[in-house]
Amino acid sequence: MSNKMFPVSLVLLFVMLGFILWPNVTNLGDLFSFAKNFDYKGIPLSQLFFSELVILLTVWLVLSTYKKGKSIVYGDEYMIRHCILLLFVTGQVFMGFFAGGIVSYQDVTSSQTAHEVSNVMESQAVIFMVCYPLYLFFGGTAFIYARTRLPEFLSNKRVPFMMLTFAPMAFLPYYDASIGDFNKSVFEWLYRIDYWLLSIAWVVIGVFHIAVSASKEIYKGLSNPYEEM
């Protein structure tokens, strides 16, 4: 996919994400106060969130300081680099399915009750404070790794990497908020269409495109392990 489409794709993606996020964010209560008092897997959600941010920024800093030397890259190392890239993509896929599972199997009744009391659904809190930083970690790290270690691979793939990183942010529990003068049924249809378009774009343009391309390069490295790539 040509990088010429990147600015248009970027704007379109964030407009679509904004439509998904709007009813969740505008009706969200004090998320950080909720996170201080809510434990996830025995760890306060706020501590988990800030720990993820520290790890995220540290890894990004380390990867960004990489300077390409003049050393020759042979097929075996070429293969390993693409395998590492695939690991980050796999991590992003896991997080997408993890968030999707929270959305699909949440206890709707208890979630709505919790929302009325604290203005924060537990599922919202977990996705915003656990999944969102990890989306940036796996997706953003995959992009930085490709930019610093595999610049030729990144060529014409900025849109797929953007989709890989940001599209899963659409996986949020639907909150039936008041949408001003919008007709409720119209909004729900638009919301669902937006949600599924982003989901399909994430799988097809992001995950599938990058995974297939990386797999081809892995095969290339395996076929010529001692040749210069």
Side-chain angles (χ1 to χ4, degrees), residues 18-166:
F19 191 76
I20 296 288
L21 287 167
W22 179 32
N24 282 275
V25 174
T26 55
N27 293 279
L28 191 64
D30 190 344
L31 181 61
F32 286 97
S33 294
F34 177 86
K36 290 178 181 178
N37 301 307
F38 178 74
D39 288 356
Y40 182 72
K41 304 297 183 181
I43 305 173
L45 199 58
S46 57
Q47 291 185 16
L48 195 58
F49 174 73
F50 288 113
S51 298
E52 287 177 342
L53 288 184
V54 170
I55 295 171
L56 166 71
L57 294 175
T58 301
V59 171
W60 282 7
L61 180 62
V62 171
L63 289 178
S64 297
T65 55
Y66 173 85
K67 293 183 179 180
K68 184 178 179 181
K70 296 182 179 180
S71 59
I72 297 173
V73 177
Y74 291 99
D76 53 353
E77 183 180 350
Y78 185 80
M79 175 202 67
I80 291 172
R81 291 187 180 187
H82 285 88
C83 285
I84 293 173
L85 177 64
L86 269 184
L87 286 177
F88 291 125
V89 175
T90 302
Q92 187 76 328
V93 171
F94 174 80
M95 289 311 306
F97 279 102
F98 175 76
I102 293 175
V103 172
S104 299
Y105 298 106
Q106 64 175 324
D107 184 338
V108 177
T109 302
S110 64
S111 294
Q112 292 295 339
T113 302
H115 193 100
E116 291 171 2
V117 173
S118 64
N119 276 344
V120 178
M121 294 183 192
E122 291 182 3
S123 53
Q124 282 180 318
V126 172
I127 290 175
F128 277 129
M129 304 201 75
V130 176
C131 298
Y132 270 40
L134 289 175
Y135 291 152
L136 295 176
F137 174 79
F138 288 113
T141 302
F143 172 77
I144 295 172
Y145 186 86
R147 183 173 61 83
T148 54
R149 273 77 169 177
L150 301 165
E152 292 184 4
F153 180 84
L154 182 61
S155 177
N156 294 327
K157 292 186 181 67
R158 292 184 181 273
V159 173
F161 274 96
M162 178 185 67
M163 290 295 179
L164 175 74
T165 304
F166 296 106

